[in-house]
Amino acid sequence: MIPTREEMYAALENRHGAELQKKLSTASVAVCGLGGLGSNIAIALARAGVGKLHIIDFDRVDISNLNRQQYFPEQLGQLKSDALYDTLKRIAPYCDIRSECVKLDEENIPQLLADDDIIVEAFDKAERKAMLVNCVLENMPQKYLVSGSGMAGIAPSNTITTKRITKRFYLCGDGVSDVADGMGLVASRVLICAGHQAHAVIRIIAGEYDIN
């Protein structure tokens, strides 16, 4: 039997405290890209009790995704936005989830992300990352932005960090590693970077801002 909304909120409040859980429950976060970073970030935020999640991707689940992304073999071929929506609803049935299958670009970003408090960049390709980051910084300076860069290979976990680049822009990763350098993306290290991004979001919601 699925717990009631009140029961699930009470359990989260017991873990996080009333003040933080209220902030989490009223926050709205957009996760742009639902691959290795984005699917893990979205699940972490849903489990933390973030009230509104806006998940965006235009791709479909492929067998090559299964080593690090939060999808199941039976979801192969499904739109990632649909597949992850179903998973998130199983985890957090009362979360307000807006799922969109769309390719973000400079033209549609300001409109599509207008209602989100925090924007998470979780794309795979460097040029797509740069496009989203630049577009948000130039056109939506009032938004908080959390981006990821550098999580490939099997380098030490502690080389992945979270840095506050500007007042509202955070960058997570090692800033160096790239798939093109040799070894590709390994589930554990991608998950570490995703955890950094999700935790940066939670700290922003809590009003705890990194000083570096």
Side-chain angles (χ1 to χ4, degrees), residues 141-162:
Q142 77 282 8
K143 302 288 187 183
Y144 281 96
L145 174 64
V146 179
S147 182
S149 178
M151 74 286 311
I154 57 170
S157 301
N158 289 342
T159 58
I160 293 178
T161 61
T162 298

Side-chain angles (χ1 to χ4, degrees), residues 172-189:
C172 305
D174 61 28
V176 177
S177 65
D178 186 80
V179 175
D181 295 335
M183 182 174 290
L185 297 164
V186 179
S188 52
R189 204 157 190 266

Side-chain angles (χ1 to χ4, degrees), residues 162-207:
T162 298
K163 296 181 180 179
R164 189 183 188 190
I165 306 301
T166 68
K167 184 177 180 180
R168 294 176 181 267
F169 176 34
Y170 292 72
L171 185 62
C172 305
D174 61 28
V176 177
S177 65
D178 186 80
V179 175
D181 295 335
M183 182 174 290
L185 297 164
V186 179
S188 52
R189 204 157 190 266
V190 172
L191 182 60
I192 292 167
C193 188
H196 270 262
Q197 288 187 258
H199 196 59
V201 170
I202 290 171
R203 283 177 53 77
I204 291 168
I205 293 170

